[in-house]
Amino acid sequence: MDFPTGHTPSINNLRRLKDKGFESPRKSVIGYVELTIFPTVVNLNRIKLNSKQCRIYRVRVNDLEAPFIYNDPTLEVCHHESKQRNLNYFSSAYTAAVSAVDPDAGHGELVIKVPSELWKQGDDLKALKVYIEFSLDQPKGGLHFVVPDVEGTMAERGAHVFSFGYQNSTRFWFPCVDSYSELCTWKLEFTVDAAMVAVSCGDLVETIYTHDMRKKTFHYVLPIPTAAPNISLAVGPFEILVDPYMHEVTHFCLPQLLPLLKHSMSYLHEIFEFYEEILTCRYPYSCFKTVFVDEAYVQVSSCASMSIFSTNLLHSAMIIDQTPQTRRCLAQALAQQFFGCFISRMSWADEWVLKGISGYIYGLYLKKTFGVNEYRHWIKEELDRIVEYELQMGGVLLHPTFGGGKEKDNPTPHLHFSIRHPHTLSWDYYKMFQCKAHLVMRLIENRISMEFMLQVFNKLLSLASTASSQKYQSHMWSQMLLSTHAFLKSISNVSGKDIGPLIKQWVDQSTVVKFFGSFAFNRKRNVLELEIRQDYTSPGTQKYVGPIKVTVQELDGSFNHMLQIEENSLKHDIPCHSKSRRNKKKKIPLMNGEEVDMDLSAMDADSPLLWIRIDPDMSILRKVEFEQADFMWQYQLRYERDVVAQEEAISALEKFPTPPSRLALTDILEQEQCFYKVRMQACFCLAKIANSMMSTWQGPPAMKSLFTRMFCCKSCPNIVKTNNFINFQSYFLQKTMPVAMALLRDVQNLCPKDVLNFILDLIKYNDNRKNKFSDNFYRAELIEALTNALTPAISINNEVRTVDNLNAEVRLILEEITRFLNMEKLLPSFRNTITVSCLRAIRQLQKNGHIPSDPSLFKSYAEYGHFVDVRIAALYALVDYTRVERSSAELQWLLNMVQNDPAPYISRHRILGMLCQNPPFTKTADSALCNEALVDELWKLMNSGTSHDWRLRCDAVNLYYTLFGLTRPSCLPLPELGLVLNLKEKKAVLNPTIKPELGGGTVIDTPASIGIHGQLPNTRNPCSTTYNKEDIDMETVHDSQAFIHHHLNLLERPSTPGGSNTCLHVLRMACVLHYRRSQTNKH
Amino acid sequence: GSKAASTPAENYHLARRRTLQVVVSALLTESGFESAEKAAVETLTEMMQSYITEIGRCAKAYCEHTARSVPTLSDTLVTLIEMGFNVDTLPVYAKRSQRMVITAPPVTNAPVTPKALSAGQKRTHPAHIPGHFPEFPDPHTYIKTPTFREPVSDYQVVREKAATQRRDVERALTRFMAKTGETESLFKDDVTAFPLIAARPSAIPYLSALLPSELELQSLEETDSSEQDDQTDSENTAGNIITDDPGADKENSMLPPSGVAPSNKANEDNMIDNPYLRPVKKPKVRRKK
């Protein structure tokens, strides 16, 4: 185990916390926290807690004033090092800074010295009560305030606030032990304006007016031991909906959205039933709350007994496309309630188990609700994603072990960030981590069967719920924490199977497998000679040894073969069952028992093989490149019933642009029993094939007659039927086909006139009056089709683009786009999908040189105050503009927005993400944009500008890496101190000005000192006396000096809540928020 | 004041009036007046005219009362008697010696009533109706005249028309909006070519993006209005009952739903015991701390 918490001398805290005031217009919170701590060791003289951003006014321990130090090394990662600009250095310093305050290792930003009068009491292991008064003013992280700028009271304006964060971020809004493994019970009190509702974890016991009757206090009690990161809060003038099926479930949404909430939540009870049934376990909390907020940090965030969602998930009954997405989000949130909130993780290294289980049961829900096809399609998608990521970026390690703490033991040297802490992870990596986790759970299921899997989950849950009902006892609550070890032990107890090798391969080790397959049929021996090679030298790959399943479809049926992949064997002989194909006119049995007639004329007459599949069940995390003849792919597409096989066949057929491929694809397109996503994929493949076959293509443009037959009027084939989307499969097909058709090109590499006119007609005759569903997604796709139809303009001498020299077809397209975009202002569509598509189209017009390239339109749509999807589309266009035009002004504009945007989460995070994906320049290429000022700005951004949001900081690191790489950016002048620092630095050179220090309060910013904590037995103790007394001494705290002095000043002159009246806002609605909590902490 | 008199009908009336004036003047002279003020003459003329008109009106009423269309002497007589006139004195008065003879008024054409707009052809009687029966009324009183052309029912044309019409309306509307408000342009050289209505940030952008537009909402309401109404109703009542009697609510919540009196089935929904629906408590007067 990485963190042997067993011998950690532990605080046992009963905490209580009260926020006195929370004033929305000022965006501030005042409160106090009270923790009851049970020492588990003698000599407890210091207590370390996590706290960021909070201004702490006073700390008392058992009613005695206690001195404290507040020092946050992550505020500024590297100091005294203004010239250092290399990412290696930063990453290690950042890891060290995060380690220095890691609650799992017993550290924290806030160090409280227990008054010496109480030492005696501590030695007797009696409870200590720690009382902390604090305030938060305009917090940048942890709590997000949404205050629309309109007339009216705060409630009328729909102002609200909610907690957010990536991993353990609760320390941003109140002092606590911000660890998933520190459980305690809670009492929470929030005082808010009488028009507001405060929603938080646990049961609402009562709501009481304050004496002036202008405010209310919400009292919550959470009797189930819960870790601080799983505590959250949302306050706003919410509309309340009690679930009609489950009265203990309450939904909250912003004003005016109640009808949408009713519709969107009408389905939730089915998800509840599903999980409770498969887990044979009741939902662990006594109530559940869903809150829908604007400007959400993530779509879904789950906390103990409540989930915070983005308000954009709400939809009316007329919206088709959003419905499955919203249901998926609800299902994810609920799965995390069981695994993630109720059962928490023992340590960061065990995160994968929880993410894996919640992802896995979510998958089961998908299978049940959306069907096996959808499920298998999803698994394939996820598998493709993880494989692509790992092959490109190197491995994703689920269960890292950190030996001795030496830098060279870094398990993931290929990454530019450390995976030691969740806070140093790149967001993409974390998403892939979750993806891999649930895929591995599925692999375990394949090994031990689903029944055992569910039994294991049930066992874990029942142990945890037994433990949760216990009063605080020394080790009982640890059942509520899940570790890799405990999980594996449970699996082996329940199933009796050894899954060690599987774990070793996919969990303890990163990377995926890459197979290349080819075959030959030996007619004499009637044997299939299969060759499976592996690439295990490229980054992100590993060597696979073990069983692999191969399915061969022969004339006489489908046969599974288990092959053993061994060290040196490449070839495998598989005997064939079908002797010959003499047996005429016999139906061919498929894998699923179905028997079908096939036209076998395309086959090789000597071979009985129809198609071959390697690892059809996706029981290895792999990429397979398999070679078989085109007719075999065509048979596979037509007759194999597994959607994964069909999708593989479609991607393979892209390489075979022949009439039979065309026919196979067209047949699939028409076949209504076929899974709609396969048919959609077939559209795009057909377009590609048609383009490759351009010279020999006969008949009307691909898909045109098909579309006409399916969706146009019988009497007038050029007019599309009035919309009726009651059949969702054909709706999705109707949406996709024009988009794919627009990709067709003629000999001049232009979109054929027929096709363009056809699409324009679709737009013209689109009639939704009789439809029960909204057609906004369909119209958006039609604009998408127009965009796809655009081809580069023929430009002569780089002339300036004017209206007059606009090509006639482009003029038609532009007219439609203008009209759509303008109509959207008058009749906005759901999620403004039309605007989003129009912006994309306009950027495409600019990029292709039809209209002048100009960012101003996008800038106006990117401003705060537009719907988030619109902003993202506009920002995407701007990022693209920045890259294409190499515009430093736009880059600067984007970076300013990253730093100043009021709705930071999606747009800020997304800007950095988009800049990484579509970078203005990269480390390999020189660019005029790459200059010292930019380096400094980005460095500052990640070093200190993003300290309020872990995720944003990692995004900044990613961007820095994308632009400059790991080493010192080449555009910088050589550092004065010489090159010593550059390459070997992380191993060889200690920063001479800083000596490694022990203890939580100090920041160790020399890379070499990482892991020293692990080597010393006592450093993990949050409250041991083995620290030198001088640790409290200011002199040894050599970083963030200014910050500490600032707080020392505060100490000398305790502020009062009313003392800081520097606000500029009018205090019309003082929404005082009170909360009070009691927390019993174990270890 | 003949200037205003321009139409033949008015001329006709004026001529008669003039004759009456002459008559009145003659009568005045007869009675020994040498001169009279114009206003007095006018007043007397007015009275005279009213009197004669009344005789005519009344006589016509009597004649119509007896189902005739032209008044007879007896009708006039009855009228005069009814008006309180001693008829017997009339022959004597008419034959008095000092009466003045007035020349007959100039013949003026009686006004022609304008012809009704002819519509269609006047129908003659069908064979089975005798000729003495009244003629058919004017055709316009019973003939249906179409005021629009036969609608085109061809599907293709209808769709074509609907599409064109919608597009025209949309284009006109958006152009108008663009002309009257702020715009953005895709071209630097010609800002009017493809005017885009300027993007205006809104304070609460999610509302317009998520809520269905009024147009869409209408059709939505048509489909499931009943269901929605039910829900809101039950909720409201639930809230009310709870506020009325918080104590009873708590007790009821302990009972299983089946424990509720079956007669009060509608109440089942009201038993929702959700902490967020409970009333907010008043602060205690005595502070704990």
Side-chain angles (χ1 to χ4, degrees):
Chain A
M1 294 237 316
D2 313 302
F3 300 110
T5 43
H7 72 80
T8 312
S10 106
I11 351 169
N12 206 314
N13 349 353
L14 226 218
R15 304 185 187 176
R16 156 171 292 245
L17 166 147
K18 180 157 186 168
D19 271 0
K20 278 202 208 119
F22 151 52
E23 296 172 353
S24 260
R26 286 184 51 194
K27 303 186 178 173
S28 64
V29 176
I30 300 167
Y32 72 76
V33 109
E34 210 175 290
L35 307 92
T36 308
I37 297 177
F38 289 103
T40 55
V41 290
V42 291
N43 299 334
L44 177 77
N45 68 357
R46 294 191 315 153
I47 297 166
K48 293 186 182 176
L49 298 176
N50 294 108
S51 171
K52 276 169 85 75
Q53 290 191 129
C54 304
R55 170 172 297 183
I56 297 195
Y57 296 118
R58 72 198 295 205
V59 175
R60 299 199 304 181
V61 180
N62 282 13
D63 297 332
L64 293 169
E65 294 289 338
F68 63 93
I69 300 174
Y70 184 29
N71 171 31
D72 182 359
T74 59
L75 273 184
E76 191 181 6
V77 175
C78 306
H79 354 245
H80 319 303
E81 280 303 333
S82 54
K83 293 292 170 212
Q84 269 291 3
R85 287 293 180 266
N86 95 48
L87 198 57
N88 266 330
Y89 177 76
F90 178 86
S91 279
S92 41
Y94 182 40
T95 312
V98 174
S99 298
V101 291
D102 181 10
D104 280 330
H107 302 304
E109 292 91 348
L110 182 67
V111 182
I112 299 163
K113 189 175 180 187
V114 179
S116 50
E117 295 91 325
L118 295 171
W119 288 11
K120 178 74 185 65
Q121 195 179 351
D123 291 350
D124 300 342
L125 304 184
K126 277 192 192 140
L128 293 175
K129 280 209 161 100
V130 181
Y131 171 91
I132 304 169
E133 270 180 31
F134 70 94
S135 79
L136 271 177
D137 194 29
Q138 311 257 4
K140 289 167 113 184
L143 284 180
H144 181 50
F145 291 77
V146 182
V147 185
D149 187 16
V150 283
E151 292 290 303
T153 65
M154 280 297 155
E156 283 160 8
R157 289 155 70 169
H160 57 286
V161 56
F162 58 93
S163 62
F164 71 90
Y166 163 56
Q167 291 285 336
N168 12 12
S169 296
T170 306
R171 65 183 86 170
F172 283 95
W173 55 291
F174 64 84
C176 58
V177 178
D178 195 11
S179 157
Y180 280 97
S181 56
E182 293 284 339
L183 303 179
C184 56
T185 56
W186 299 76
K187 257 185 208 154
L188 306 132
E189 283 178 22
F190 305 96
T191 301
V192 299
D193 186 276
M196 300 267 186
V197 184
V199 187
S200 185
C201 302
D203 299 311
L204 177 63
V205 182
E206 56 184 358
T207 317
I208 304 179
Y209 279 114
T210 53
H211 284 274
D212 57 4
M213 299 292 283
R214 287 163 64 186
K215 288 166 187 159
K216 313 190 265 202
T217 308
F218 288 80
H219 295 256
Y220 284 92
V221 167
L222 181 56
I224 291 177
T226 303
N230 278 329
I231 296 297
S232 66
L233 165 71
V235 178
F238 297 122
E239 304 206 26
I240 301 170
L241 171 69
V242 177
D243 195 288
Y245 300 93
M246 306 168 290
H247 295 171
E248 62 278 17
V249 177
T250 320
H251 312 296
F252 301 87
C253 68
L254 293 167
Q256 301 183 48
L257 300 177
L258 190 62
L260 304 188
L261 185 72
K262 270 183 191 162
H263 175 75
S264 313
M265 291 300 109
S266 59
Y267 181 75
L268 186 70
H269 65 282
E270 292 189 26
I271 308 177
F272 259 100
E273 277 163 24
F274 175 77
Y275 285 141
E276 290 188 349
E277 198 181 314
I278 60 159
L279 299 171
T280 47
C281 168
R282 285 199 57 82
Y283 175 68
Y285 299 99
S286 55
C287 62
F288 181 58
K289 286 141 290 186
T290 63
V291 188
F292 290 81
V293 297
D294 189 25
E295 298 179 9
Y297 186 69
V298 280
Q299 298 261 297
V300 181
S301 87
S302 262
C303 308
S305 84
M306 75 183 277
S307 292
I308 298 181
F309 298 90
S310 161
T311 195
N312 304 333
L313 291 175
L314 295 176
H315 60 90
S316 70
M318 301 159 65
I319 309 298
I320 298 175
D321 301 52
Q322 184 66 46
T323 310
Q325 285 170 27
T326 300
R327 289 184 182 178
R328 282 170 170 231
C329 288
L330 290 176
Q332 270 171 342
L334 213 50
Q336 285 166 13
Q337 289 287 316
F338 290 91
F339 293 94
C341 297
F342 181 58
I343 295 190
S344 186
R345 67 180 188 227
M346 191 72 92
S347 72
W348 163 235
D350 306 315
E351 169 83 347
W352 77 273
V353 183
L354 291 166
K355 287 292 171 210
I357 298 178
S358 60
Y360 169 77
I361 59 174
Y362 161 69
L364 295 182
Y365 159 80
L366 284 188
K367 199 195 296 190
K368 184 237 167 194
T369 312
F370 298 102
V372 177
N373 283 347
E374 177 72 43
Y375 174 72
R376 286 189 66 86
H377 171 80
W378 176 67
I379 291 288
K380 176 179 190 290
E381 238 175 28
E382 295 278 283
L383 183 60
D384 288 350
R385 274 173 67 203
I386 184 76
V387 165
E388 192 196 352
Y389 183 84
E390 294 207 35
L391 291 181
Q392 192 194 340
M393 302 289 294
V396 171
L397 184 57
L398 290 183
H399 183 54
T401 45
F402 304 100
K406 287 277 185 283
E407 187 68 3
K408 65 176 176 237
D409 293 334
N410 181 2
T412 50
H414 54 277
L415 297 171
H416 59 276
F417 47 83
S418 159
I419 60 165
R420 178 177 290 266
H421 299 284
H423 303 145
T424 54
L425 280 194
S426 139
W427 180 249
D428 287 336
Y429 181 89
Y430 185 60
K431 278 197 291 195
M432 286 304 144
F433 174 91
Q434 298 177 44
C435 167
K436 189 166 185 178
H438 82 75
L439 287 173
V440 169
M441 280 299 158
R442 192 179 152 269
L443 298 190
I444 298 176
E445 180 220 82
N446 283 350
R447 188 66 55 88
I448 69 167
S449 87
M450 185 161 108
E451 199 180 320
F452 281 138
M453 200 73 175
L454 294 177
Q455 273 180 33
V456 170
F457 300 159
N458 175 260
K459 195 177 155 195
L460 295 173
L461 284 169
S462 34
L463 280 176
S465 55
T466 317
S468 72
S469 55
Q470 305 280 324
K471 282 254 179 279
Y472 166 71
Q473 283 170 23
S474 185
H475 283 284
M476 251 334 258
W477 285 355
S478 66
Q479 297 288 357
M480 300 182 70
L481 299 176
L482 190 53
S483 68
T484 309
H485 177 71
F487 174 65
L488 296 181
K489 207 170 137 201
S490 191
I491 285 192
S492 107
N493 284 347
V494 169
S495 72
K497 285 186 183 149
D498 175 28
I499 57 164
L502 188 151
I503 296 298
K504 198 162 168 255
Q505 184 148 32
W506 305 117
V507 177
D508 294 337
Q509 189 183 340
S510 64
T511 68
V512 293
V513 185
K514 202 171 168 186
F515 289 120
F516 298 94
S518 59
F519 76 99
F521 178 65
N522 188 326
R523 204 174 134 203
K524 273 185 201 145
R525 293 166 57 212
N526 196 27
V527 155
L528 163 67
E529 294 167 359
L530 188 69
E531 185 182 322
I532 299 176
R533 283 172 294 122
Q534 288 187 51
D535 170 10
Y536 44 83
T537 48
S538 313
T541 55
Q542 59 169 291
K543 190 169 192 173
Y544 178 79
V545 175
I548 190 169
K549 187 168 155 187
V550 173
T551 304
V552 182
Q553 174 72 46
E554 299 177 34
L555 289 172
D556 284 3
S558 193
F559 302 96
N560 289 330
H561 304 273
M562 289 308 287
L563 305 181
Q564 203 64 30
I565 303 257
E566 278 155 23
E567 246 357 271
N568 302 314
S569 77
L570 295 171
K571 303 230 175 187
H572 305 269
D573 284 356
I574 300 174
C576 288
H577 294 73
S578 325
K579 278 280 179 265
S580 67
R581 53 177 302 190
R582 296 293 118 73
N583 33 12
K584 53 251 157 213
K585 274 291 164 195
K586 215 175 128 194
K587 286 196 171 184
I588 293 168
L590 299 179
M591 194 46 135
N592 60 356
E594 207 181 324
E595 297 202 337
V596 293
D597 281 317
M598 289 186 202
D599 173 17
L600 298 174
S601 55
M603 269 182 85
D604 179 356
D606 296 330
S607 151
L609 300 172
L610 284 164
W611 66 81
I612 299 164
R613 297 181 63 204
I614 295 182
D615 186 29
D617 297 333
M618 298 178 283
S619 49
I620 301 170
L621 303 184
R622 83 307 188 254
K623 179 189 175 86
V624 179
E625 286 177 18
F626 188 65
E627 287 172 27
Q628 60 182 356
D630 58 345
F631 66 84
M632 298 176 82
W633 288 119
Q634 287 151 13
Y635 281 126
Q636 181 171 334
L637 174 58
R638 281 170 192 267
Y639 300 111
E640 172 62 64
R641 298 297 184 231
D642 179 10
V643 292
V644 175
Q646 293 171 351
E647 285 168 9
E648 280 165 1
I650 290 175
S651 358
L653 282 178
E654 279 176 20
K655 290 183 221 87
F656 300 101
T658 56
S661 298
R662 175 186 172 183
L663 197 63
L665 288 165
T666 321
D667 287 350
I668 276 291
L669 254 181
E670 278 186 284
Q671 204 178 328
E672 274 175 25
Q673 294 93 329
C674 183
F675 184 50
Y676 74 100
K677 284 188 176 167
V678 172
R679 295 165 80 194
M680 284 159 73
Q681 201 192 334
C683 293
F684 290 99
C685 181
L686 198 53
K688 276 188 192 146
I689 286 189
N691 288 345
S692 313
M693 293 168 67
M694 198 188 311
S695 50
T696 54
W697 187 269
Q698 297 192 333
M703 289 173 278
K704 188 172 170 215
S705 51
L706 211 63
F707 189 95
T708 309
R709 197 154 61 239
M710 291 163 93
F711 303 111
C712 290
C713 302
K714 295 275 180 302
S715 59
C716 34
N718 64 325
I719 295 181
V720 67
K721 284 184 201 158
T722 56
N723 294 341
N724 181 6
F725 297 156
I726 202 89
N727 180 343
F728 294 161
Q729 280 97 329
S730 46
Y731 162 69
F732 281 106
L733 210 58
Q734 188 178 358
K735 268 189 354 173
T736 309
M737 273 163 90
V739 179
M741 280 172 74
L743 292 169
L744 294 174
R745 295 292 178 262
D746 62 12
V747 193
Q748 282 101 39
N749 202 26
L750 299 173
C751 183
K753 266 214 167 93
D754 294 11
V755 173
L756 183 61
N757 289 337
F758 178 72
I759 296 168
L760 288 171
D761 272 353
L762 288 182
I763 292 174
K764 182 177 168 191
Y765 293 115
N766 178 44
D767 186 347
N768 205 49
R769 280 174 299 182
K770 298 221 172 79
N771 199 357
K772 137 178 201 207
F773 298 103
S774 164
D775 67 342
N776 63 310
F777 283 96
Y778 173 60
R779 280 185 292 151
E781 292 284 346
L782 290 178
I783 301 168
E784 197 71 40
L786 288 181
T787 315
N788 280 350
L790 290 171
T791 45
I794 306 145
S795 114
I796 310 147
N797 306 332
N798 271 340
E799 61 189 332
V800 182
R801 289 288 148 195
T802 59
V803 185
D804 301 328
N805 57 20
L806 208 56
N807 163 336
E809 269 126 48
V810 175
R811 185 179 283 271
L812 288 176
I813 294 177
L814 195 51
E815 236 160 56
E816 293 298 335
I817 291 168
T818 314
R819 193 169 52 84
F820 270 124
L821 195 55
N822 284 338
M823 273 311 285
E824 179 93 329
K825 301 283 186 312
L826 309 172
L827 282 177
S829 61
F830 178 72
R831 294 195 79 151
N832 294 348
T833 43
I834 310 272
T835 306
V836 169
S837 290
C838 287
L839 290 178
R840 245 184 258 148
I842 291 174
R843 177 63 200 143
Q844 197 63 25
L845 281 164
Q846 293 188 351
K847 234 169 129 179
N848 279 324
H850 295 292
I851 62 176
S853 201
D854 179 16
S856 56
L857 179 77
F858 303 121
K859 275 187 186 170
S860 68
Y861 279 95
E863 287 295 344
Y864 178 68
H866 288 102
F867 188 66
V868 62
D869 293 2
V870 173
R871 297 191 68 193
I872 287 170
L875 287 168
Y876 187 83
L878 277 171
V879 168
D880 191 53
Y881 177 87
T882 310
R883 182 183 61 83
V884 174
E885 309 287 331
R886 302 217 172 111
S887 155
S888 66
E890 308 316 320
L891 184 59
Q892 197 53 51
W893 191 89
L894 288 169
L895 289 177
N896 281 347
M897 187 168 260
V898 169
Q899 290 163 68
N900 302 324
D901 194 63
Y905 312 110
I906 291 294
S907 53
R908 275 189 193 181
H909 161 69
R910 290 297 294 273
I911 293 175
L912 290 177
M914 288 188 278
L915 280 172
C916 288
Q917 261 177 16
N918 199 356
F921 60 92
T922 59
K923 48 193 178 267
T924 49
D926 276 338
S927 165
L929 293 178
C930 176
N931 56 40
E932 203 172 340
L934 181 69
V935 174
D936 282 344
E937 182 171 5
L938 281 177
W939 182 268
K940 212 177 127 209
L941 186 67
M942 64 181 189
N943 193 28
S944 57
T946 46
S947 61
H948 53 275
D949 183 351
W950 307 117
R951 181 173 80 177
L952 198 60
R953 175 170 265 163
C954 297
D955 292 334
V957 170
N958 266 355
L959 180 61
Y960 196 86
Y961 174 71
T962 314
L963 298 183
F964 310 117
L966 278 176
T967 51
R968 196 178 159 81
S970 53
C971 58
L972 294 187
L974 292 179
E976 290 153 29
L977 294 174
L979 293 168
V980 199
L981 292 169
N982 274 351
L983 285 173
K984 296 276 182 171
E985 169 237 32
K986 62 177 175 180
K987 279 163 202 162
V989 178
L990 293 185
N991 188 330
T993 60
I994 297 164
K995 54 179 194 286
E997 284 292 337
L998 312 180
T1002 52
V1003 169
I1004 295 132
D1005 61 355
T1006 45
S1009 61
I1010 299 171
I1012 279 179
H1013 307 293
Q1015 294 171 323
L1016 296 171
N1018 295 317
T1019 46
R1020 189 174 293 115
N1021 303 357
C1023 27
S1024 81
T1025 44
T1026 51
Y1027 293 113
N1028 298 329
K1029 292 254 165 79
E1030 300 91 76
D1031 275 3
I1032 300 293
D1033 190 331
M1034 286 300 128
E1035 296 310 310
T1036 55
V1037 183
H1038 48 247
D1039 54 324
S1040 307
Q1041 292 285 5
F1043 186 72
I1044 292 165
H1045 286 312
H1046 173 68
H1047 281 272
L1048 278 178
N1049 289 342
L1050 273 180
L1051 249 188
E1052 284 156 17
R1053 152 180 76 72
S1055 312
T1056 51
S1060 46
N1061 267 339
T1062 49
C1063 68
L1064 297 173
H1065 299 266
V1066 187
L1067 279 162
R1068 288 199 58 186
M1069 186 208 76
C1071 168
V1072 178
L1073 171 141
H1074 249 249
Y1075 59 112
R1076 183 189 167 85
R1077 76 189 57 186
S1078 91
Q1079 192 179 27
T1080 320
N1081 216 328
K1082 164 161 169 332
H1083 313 249
Chain B
S2 62
K3 259 182 202 168
S6 51
T7 67
E10 276 169 5
N11 277 337
Y12 179 77
H13 292 303
L14 277 176
R16 296 209 168 176
R17 178 87 176 187
R18 228 172 285 128
T19 313
L20 267 185
Q21 262 170 354
V22 174
V23 169
V24 167
S25 309
L27 286 176
L28 285 175
T29 318
E30 196 182 310
S31 314
F33 290 95
E34 300 229 318
S35 65
E37 275 180 31
K38 195 168 185 191
V41 176
E42 277 296 323
T43 309
L44 287 169
T45 311
E46 192 66 30
M47 287 167 72
M48 173 85 81
Q49 189 175 352
S50 303
Y51 193 82
I52 295 172
T53 311
E54 180 59 19
I55 293 170
R57 190 194 66 76
C58 235
K60 183 148 172 48
Y62 279 119
C63 107
E64 282 174 357
H65 184 65
T66 48
R68 281 174 286 108
S69 57
V70 182
T72 58
L73 179 65
S74 45
D75 291 330
T76 321
L77 280 179
V78 175
T79 303
L80 287 172
I81 292 162
E82 183 71 9
M83 289 172 77
F85 184 79
N86 189 352
V87 187
D88 297 337
T89 59
L90 192 61
V92 182
Y93 180 73
K95 290 183 183 133
R96 70 190 185 279
S97 54
Q98 66 273 48
R99 71 171 195 277
M100 292 175 79
V101 179
I102 303 158
T103 49
V107 182
T108 48
N109 297 330
V112 257
T113 44
K115 259 193 193 165
L117 189 70
S118 71
Q121 277 193 328
K122 212 161 181 178
R123 276 171 65 182
T124 50
H125 284 154
H128 60 275
I129 295 179
H132 62 276
F133 273 88
E135 287 182 343
F136 272 107
D138 276 349
H140 75 265
T141 57
Y142 60 90
I143 276 182
K144 186 176 80 180
T145 319
T147 56
F148 55 92
R149 268 182 296 162
E150 193 76 359
V152 196
S153 53
D154 184 23
Y155 184 76
Q156 184 170 354
V157 182
V158 170
R159 287 293 300 277
E160 171 81 47
K161 253 195 156 164
T164 322
Q165 200 173 0
R166 202 197 48 204
R167 171 177 299 219
D168 288 347
V169 168
E170 285 184 7
R171 189 174 297 156
L173 182 61
T174 50
R175 289 260 157 132
F176 172 74
M177 297 300 290
K179 282 238 169 74
T180 50
E182 246 178 277
T183 54
E184 280 158 316
S185 175
L186 297 171
F187 291 92
K188 289 271 175 287
D189 57 327
D190 185 357
V191 283
T192 55
F194 291 95
L196 295 173
I197 301 174
R200 204 166 284 137
S202 89
I204 310 182
Y206 59 86
L207 280 184
S208 66
L210 296 181
L211 286 172
S213 65
E214 261 171 58
L215 204 72
E216 291 173 316
L217 212 58
Q218 268 176 357
S219 60
L220 192 74
E221 267 167 11
E222 279 161 23
T223 50
D224 57 7
S225 56
S226 54
E227 183 196 284
Q228 281 191 338
D229 287 346
D230 283 349
Q231 279 188 4
T232 31
D233 283 355
S234 63
E235 242 167 51
N236 291 342
T237 36
N240 291 341
I241 287 183
I242 286 167
T243 6
D244 287 350
D245 195 358
D249 161 57
K250 206 152 203 186
E251 280 171 22
N252 284 340
S253 68
M254 302 302 174
L255 296 171
S258 56
V260 181
S263 62
N264 207 359
K265 213 182 166 207
N267 251 9
E268 214 164 314
D269 272 345
N270 302 341
M271 292 308 117
I272 297 176
D273 179 37
N274 186 292
Y276 294 95
L277 299 181
R278 283 181 212 146
V280 182
K281 290 183 186 163
K282 301 265 161 60
K284 293 192 181 98
V285 186
R286 179 176 56 87
R287 261 189 86 97
K288 263 193 230 162
K289 264 191 182 175

